[in-house]
Amino acid sequence: MANYTLTVNGKDHHVEVDRDTPLLWVIRDTMKMYGTKYGCGIAQCGACTVHVDGTPIRSCCVPIEKLQGKNIITIEGLSQDGSHPVQMAWKEIDVPQCGYCQTGQIMTAAALLERIPSPTDEEINRAMKGNLCRCGTYPRIKKAIHEAAKLKQS
Amino acid sequence: MMTTRRNFLKVSALAGGGLAMAVSLPGTSAMLANDDISSFDLGAFLNIDTKGNITFLLTKHEMGQGSGTGLPMIIADELGADWSKITLKRSDYDPKFDSRLMGTTGGSGTVAKMWEPLREAGAAVREMLKSAAAARWNVSPDTLTTDNSFVVSPNGEKLEFGELAEEAARLNIPKEVKLKDISEFKYIGKPVKNLITNDVVMGKGNYGINVDIEGMVYAAIQRCPVYKGKLVSFDDTEARKVNGVIDVVPVPHLDLDLEGQYVAEGVAVIATSTWSAFKARKQLKIEWDYGKNGSRDIETYKKEMSESKMQHAYSKGDFDKQSVEEGFELVEAEYDNPYEAHALMEPINATAHFNGDSCEVWVGTQSGERVAQAVMKATGLPQEKITVHVLNSGGSFGRRYYPDSSIEASYLSKVLSKPVKLTWSREDEIMHDYFHPYQRSRHKAIISPEGKVTGWYAGLIRAEDYMEGLTRWEIPYFFDTIKTESSVIEGMVHVGAWRSVGPHSSSLGKECFMDELALRLNKDPLDFRLEMLQGEITQEGNDDFAKVVVSYRKVLQERYIAVLNTIKEKGLWTAPKKGEGRGIAIENFSRTVCAHIVDVSIDNSYNGFKVNKVTSVVHCGTVVNPHFGRGQIEGGVIWALSAAMYGGIEVKNGVVQRDNFHDNLLLRIDETPEIDVHFVESTEPPSGLGEPGTPPLAPALLNALYNATGKRIRKIPVRREDLLNATA
């Protein structure tokens, strides 16, 4: 066990965990923030996606020791009130069914729009194909990303 | 006019003012006949307080199907309520709930079964609010209407529901109520937004896996990899060296004698975090006795199927005699529909707190009732000492109907005398799933010298099953002779309900064979189906069940024909685009009928094809929420396409050969075809949408592949080598 300081959603958190502990489990079990989901543990489903210095990463596969000094944003930090354009678009299109994967989808989509403000279907497919949804909300996710791009520009 | 089942409604004053309506929704005719229904009371499910806030108690499980929004929409419309005044309250499981209607969620039946009772209850409360206003204004209640949570008089006077709730609560429940005409609905039929969405997009979704109880420890279980295998011994020396490990305890054979239930033997690691428990379980050294399943695999299983002896199930006329008549031709084909995993996004979990003389469980479950029964047995406590908190699920599709994780968690909590949060890893969720059972369908048909299909045979060989049902045998088409047989093989993995259950299994063979017969007779596959749907449904037997079956079959006949005619009228069944193949299939799940038209093109991908478009036509009666309805059909298509492209569980020496999303592949966004959903216009009661989108997809795909290549594939999943090896 060792002590680490993590910057999550702009706040420093001091935690004592094993150095190989994946960020996901620190966020969930230690910090008790449950918006970031466990899905596979091997970076295959995207349910655990968070931003590290603006880049979407699968938090289930990144050990905490590699995250010192990095700026981590989780779904709880994307906006205070659900007003991020991607969240607004998700509400407008009413994307979720069970909703479990959606926080990961939203984090990946938010990072995509930072990189490509107005992505094509092809670019959306490329960015989003790492995020699984078992309910099959993909058609709505695609629609919502286009909607978010519009909201962001207006 | 509709007579209210007054016995099942009870209105009382709400503490602090307002109106509380209790309703008991009887599930069986025996209960209907029972006047004394006090034992079925479930407490207030609809409250209106003096400020006009309306609280709806949700007893159904929310797992992505939208019940938590669809049900209050129904009651809001009958009441004439302002949607923004409605708050949802989630109910813990209560033994007073009638299991079929309220305590269990499944079979695509939530809206279908609650439709009428909720409308009656809403209408009764509406009439009472109107009567209360009528008394104040000294007019006849019949002259009044409700809108936007107000009772409105003809000259425009208005009283808000909250102002009337106390007076209304003192009135008698009307003997008869008139349900609204469909044209009066403000919410039903509209894409009202899902009430869970705001929480979901903020990361506040209320899932079982997010439960956090003070003082809880985290558990992970290493289970015997072979079905019904035994734990012989284990060495936990290395596991206990992992930081955070608190204890290691065996999970013995928990024979709870509950139908369809199985809990694997294993060894549990108890730790201060999920990660510690996951890490430490890998250090366990365990000796198992695999038993006879340890030498079975899919190949030996297929051999068992081929050699199995068929048992007679049902017959009409003499199929065997007709099949050898002069000039009659017998054709046959065999289709395989393999074991499938659920692969739910939220891995299975449960949290339990055994307190010595009581036990609380927190779990996403389709059946609080089954959880309560299972925890009773696992802990030895009486039912009244068990509380089941039902949380939302990150997908369920039949899997969370089974309380196995609640059994494990409550057992461990009892052994450890601590609250225990049990999380299955993704590997556990796939390897120890309650798999969709393997089914082989053997079909035969008799073709008369005039080129008419006169006889139909279905021989269904399937894995040891959790349900025997008509759904596997149902055939909407008419034949002079029918013969059905079945054979059940002892399962090599545990099986359970999987989105659409029997119809997914049986539709593959049935609807592909219909396609084969149509093409053999040089008929258009859609017209051939329409032709075979013409006939008179006759009652077989004289009991109540026979009458129910006749009316059910008549509804289905009408709906099959309506769906196919809608496809023709809308011009959806035309020649495929150049370079594409097009196939059709139709199936019902309960009273909902769904047809898919699948467009494919052939390529060099892993599967050897690409699905470009799926066009769906659905008859489900009234569509309560078209946004959810379309979503369920899209979801059902994507679910079935995952199975058709990547499904099928391989088993070697009794061990499931997949364990995560790298080998149990699911459809991703870039593989998802355009999906165009049409609903047949109807004012009939809703008949369910969660499952009907799944069954006809795989046969429509195989029929489209035949159309594209001239090669007949008779199994799923389909890979490139299947297309290369198939014969024309």
Side-chain angles (χ1 to χ4, degrees), chain B residues 41 126 198 205 245 315 530 563 591:
Chain B
D41 279 355
R126 178 191 70 221
N198 283 348
V245 171
S315 47
L530 268 177
V563 165
R591 285 175 163 77

Short mmCIF file of all heavy atoms in Angstrom, two decimals, chain B residues 41 126 198 205 245 315 530 563 591:
data_model
loop_
_atom_site.label_atom_id
_atom_site.label_comp_id
_atom_site.label_asym_id
_atom_site.label_seq_id
_atom_site.Cartn_x
_atom_site.Cartn_y
_atom_site.Cartn_z
N ASP B 41 -53.83 -6.37 -0.44
CA ASP B 41 -53.60 -4.93 -0.43
C ASP B 41 -52.11 -4.63 -0.49
O ASP B 41 -51.32 -5.29 0.15
CB ASP B 41 -54.14 -4.30 0.86
CG ASP B 41 -55.63 -4.08 0.75
OD1 ASP B 41 -56.17 -4.33 -0.33
OD2 ASP B 41 -56.22 -3.66 1.75
N ARG B 126 -60.16 9.96 -10.99
CA ARG B 126 -60.63 11.12 -11.75
C ARG B 126 -62.10 11.42 -11.45
O ARG B 126 -62.48 12.56 -11.19
CB ARG B 126 -60.47 10.85 -13.25
CG ARG B 126 -60.96 11.98 -14.15
CD ARG B 126 -61.02 11.52 -15.61
NE ARG B 126 -62.09 10.55 -15.83
CZ ARG B 126 -62.00 9.47 -16.58
NH1 ARG B 126 -60.88 9.17 -17.21
NH2 ARG B 126 -63.02 8.65 -16.71
N ASN B 198 -32.41 12.06 -16.77
CA ASN B 198 -31.65 13.11 -16.09
C ASN B 198 -30.61 12.54 -15.14
O ASN B 198 -29.46 13.00 -15.11
CB ASN B 198 -32.59 14.05 -15.31
CG ASN B 198 -33.30 15.01 -16.25
OD1 ASN B 198 -32.94 15.13 -17.42
ND2 ASN B 198 -34.33 15.66 -15.74
N GLY B 205 -27.31 7.19 -11.85
CA GLY B 205 -28.19 6.03 -12.03
C GLY B 205 -28.15 5.14 -10.80
O GLY B 205 -27.09 4.91 -10.20
N VAL B 245 -7.12 -8.28 1.99
CA VAL B 245 -7.92 -9.49 2.15
C VAL B 245 -8.29 -9.69 3.63
O VAL B 245 -7.44 -9.61 4.51
CB VAL B 245 -7.19 -10.75 1.60
CG1 VAL B 245 -7.94 -12.03 1.97
CG2 VAL B 245 -7.06 -10.63 0.10
N SER B 315 -50.20 -33.72 -32.41
CA SER B 315 -50.42 -33.96 -33.83
C SER B 315 -51.85 -33.65 -34.25
O SER B 315 -52.77 -33.66 -33.44
CB SER B 315 -50.02 -35.37 -34.26
OG SER B 315 -50.53 -36.32 -33.38
N LEU B 530 -48.66 -15.29 -46.57
CA LEU B 530 -50.06 -14.82 -46.54
C LEU B 530 -51.02 -15.94 -46.92
O LEU B 530 -52.07 -16.13 -46.31
CB LEU B 530 -50.23 -13.65 -47.51
CG LEU B 530 -50.04 -12.24 -46.95
CD1 LEU B 530 -50.16 -11.21 -48.06
CD2 LEU B 530 -51.02 -11.93 -45.82
N VAL B 563 -49.71 -7.28 -40.52
CA VAL B 563 -48.30 -6.89 -40.66
C VAL B 563 -47.83 -7.10 -42.10
O VAL B 563 -47.21 -6.21 -42.71
CB VAL B 563 -47.41 -7.67 -39.65
CG1 VAL B 563 -45.93 -7.56 -40.02
CG2 VAL B 563 -47.65 -7.16 -38.23
N ARG B 591 -48.82 -11.62 -27.90
CA ARG B 591 -49.74 -11.13 -28.92
C ARG B 591 -49.10 -10.13 -29.88
O ARG B 591 -49.76 -9.66 -30.80
CB ARG B 591 -50.96 -10.50 -28.25
CG ARG B 591 -51.92 -11.51 -27.68
CD ARG B 591 -53.05 -10.83 -26.92
NE ARG B 591 -54.17 -11.73 -26.70
CZ ARG B 591 -54.19 -12.69 -25.78
NH1 ARG B 591 -53.16 -12.88 -24.99
NH2 ARG B 591 -55.25 -13.47 -25.65
#
